[in-house]
Amino acid sequence: MDYSLDLYTYRVSCTSYTKLHIPTPKQSTLLWNIHSWTEVIPRENRPQGGRKRSMQGSKSSTRNDSLIHPPGFYIIGLSSMPYTSVYVVFLTVIYVITMVSNCFVICIICIDHRLHVSKFIAVGNLAVVDLILSTSLIPTMIKIYLLKDNFMEFRLCLVQMYMYYTFLTLEAFSIAVLAFDRFIAICFPLRQNSINTTTTMTAIVAAIWVFINGLIMISVSAMTYLSFCSSVQVNSYFCDYAPVFRLACNDNTLQLTLATVLSMVNNFGPLSFIVLSYTCILISVFQMKSVESRFKALATCTEHLILVAIFYIPILIIFMTGLFRVGINPDVRVVILSLSS
């Protein structure tokens, strides 16, 4: 008899267990957490009176009687990492510096009307994106370490996944927008004010926000079509997309395809544009007759190139190790990826 379809759920209050028990498919499946447990039982064993269906946390436990969503996931990426305390202190310092510096940049740009030009619209956009990206990730990691509570509810997991990948992708595109600004300024200096206007830059930034939010919304929504009937331990430092969908017990081809395609487009699309922009910039710089002019032109790109290196080097390291199937310690992977965030 097929027990995977047409299941019935009911909820019983319980506060003393933290165990996850997954029996065989023909047995009852018990999902335990610190608040309650949800039991999925066959049709013939259902109680006939006083039925209660999926309320509160159990609403996320099943979907259309065919998908099983757990109450939440356990984030275990930091639990086995050596020198976790040193790493968390480092992240805390970085987060405080990020908060202060980005807030300072945003305030200065808003207050000083002389900075209301296309270049600083792009800079302010990057500051806002970086601020939200750090806030979506680092406080949760600090909470997990300090409170020793690595449990995250299912819906909160999806929210964090959406926020992180939205603003990570926005950061990649925002860095590419700054490359566009440098490209126009160096390659078309006489037409800069007519090409790269504040209206043009605002439209570019707004279009990127709308596009990326829609793209990530579709990608994260696809996670709700997965069933999680075995492990709920996420081997990452947050609710990461790939480690979560790999826990599913039904077909995850759609999620794998979305992850592969969007990773290529969202990371290497902006990177390709940056490389192309700086190729054109170098061609224009070497056509300048004065060495001093060449130096000044390249000097304006220094800060941006540092941003590109900080953001893309960790991503490229992970990508190349995966491409050439080079083994990498999971803890090292966690540290490398978190540095780009």
Side-chain angles (χ1 to χ4, degrees):
M1 181 176 295
D2 185 6
Y3 292 96
S4 63
L5 298 176
D6 197 23
L7 302 178
Y8 173 77
T9 64
Y10 67 92
R11 190 179 185 84
V12 180
S13 173
C14 181
T15 59
S16 60
Y17 295 95
T18 59
K19 181 180 178 182
L20 176 65
H21 173 60
I22 307 297
T24 62
K26 293 188 178 181
Q27 296 175 337
S28 299
T29 303
L30 302 180
L31 299 175
W32 301 85
N33 62 33
I34 59 173
H35 302 295
S36 60
W37 59 269
T38 301
E39 185 177 10
V40 182
I41 61 178
R43 180 200 293 263
E44 61 269 27
N45 295 333
R46 298 177 184 175
Q48 297 301 314
R51 292 184 176 181
K52 241 179 168 180
R53 293 186 68 90
S54 302
M55 47 186 191
Q56 201 175 359
S58 297
K59 289 181 180 179
S60 63
S61 298
T62 61
R63 178 176 178 172
N64 296 331
D65 290 336
S66 60
L67 297 178
I68 301 174
H69 293 165
F73 297 98
Y74 290 92
I75 313 300
I76 63 171
L78 293 176
S79 59
S80 61
M81 182 185 298
Y83 306 108
T84 306
S85 58
V86 176
Y87 179 61
V88 171
V89 169
F90 171 74
L91 283 182
T92 305
V93 173
I94 294 297
Y95 180 63
V96 171
I97 294 173
T98 300
M99 289 284 292
V100 172
S101 58
N102 284 325
C103 288
F104 178 76
V105 169
I106 294 168
C107 290
I108 292 298
I109 292 175
C110 291
I111 293 172
D112 193 344
H113 292 280
R114 294 173 298 177
L115 300 180
H116 294 178
V117 294
S118 58
K119 176 182 178 180
F120 287 99
I121 290 175
V123 172
N125 172 66
L126 180 61
V128 171
V129 169
D130 190 51
L131 185 66
I132 301 176
L133 175 62
S134 300
T135 303
S136 69
L137 183 65
I138 297 180
T140 303
M141 297 174 68
I142 295 173
K143 187 265 293 185
I144 290 174
Y145 173 73
L146 292 179
L147 303 182
K148 307 300 181 184
D149 178 16
N150 64 345
F151 179 80
M152 182 174 291
E153 293 182 7
F154 183 79
R155 291 181 180 178
L156 289 179
C157 178
L158 295 184
V159 169
Q160 187 189 48
M161 189 184 297
Y162 168 75
M163 294 293 292
Y164 175 78
Y165 280 103
T166 295
F167 287 95
L168 182 69
T169 307
L170 278 172
E171 183 150 348
F173 277 82
S174 298
I175 293 173
V177 169
L178 284 173
F180 168 75
D181 176 79
R182 291 296 84 208
F183 166 70
I184 298 297
I186 295 175
C187 297
F188 303 99
L190 300 179
R191 299 174 56 192
Q192 177 183 3
N193 294 331
S194 61
I195 297 176
N196 193 16
T197 63
T198 54
T199 304
T200 302
M201 184 59 72
T202 303
I204 291 173
V205 170
I208 289 173
W209 274 70
V210 172
F211 173 72
I212 296 303
N213 273 275
L215 206 62
I216 303 302
M217 180 68 73
I218 294 172
S219 179
V220 174
S221 297
M223 299 294 287
T224 60
Y225 294 95
L226 295 176
S227 285
F228 301 90
C229 48
S230 55
S231 175
V232 290
Q233 294 185 343
V234 180
N235 190 18
S236 184
Y237 55 99
F238 73 107
C239 269
D240 202 349
Y241 193 85
V244 170
F245 79 67
R246 290 192 183 110
L247 298 176
C249 53
N250 60 343
D251 184 27
N252 59 12
T253 304
L254 172 62
Q255 291 74 20
L256 176 61
T257 303
L258 285 172
T260 304
V261 173
L262 294 184
S263 295
M264 297 297 292
V265 172
N266 295 341
N267 288 320
F268 295 100
L271 180 60
S272 300
F273 180 80
I274 292 169
V275 172
L276 181 61
S277 297
Y278 273 100
T279 301
C280 297
I281 287 172
L282 288 174
I283 292 173
S284 297
V285 165
F286 285 114
Q287 288 177 349
M288 297 177 182
K289 297 180 180 180
S290 170
V291 176
E292 184 179 356
S293 300
R294 295 178 184 177
F295 178 78
K296 287 182 178 180
L298 291 176
T300 62
C301 302
T302 305
E303 295 86 353
H304 182 251
L305 288 173
I306 292 174
L307 287 175
V308 172
I310 292 173
F311 183 79
Y312 276 105
I313 286 177
I315 294 175
L316 289 175
I317 290 174
I318 297 300
F319 177 79
M320 296 304 291
T321 54
L323 181 65
F324 294 103
R325 302 183 183 275
V326 177
I328 183 171
N329 188 289
D331 295 333
V332 175
R333 182 180 182 276
V334 167
V335 173
I336 291 175
L337 283 181
S338 62
L339 289 177
S340 66
S341 306

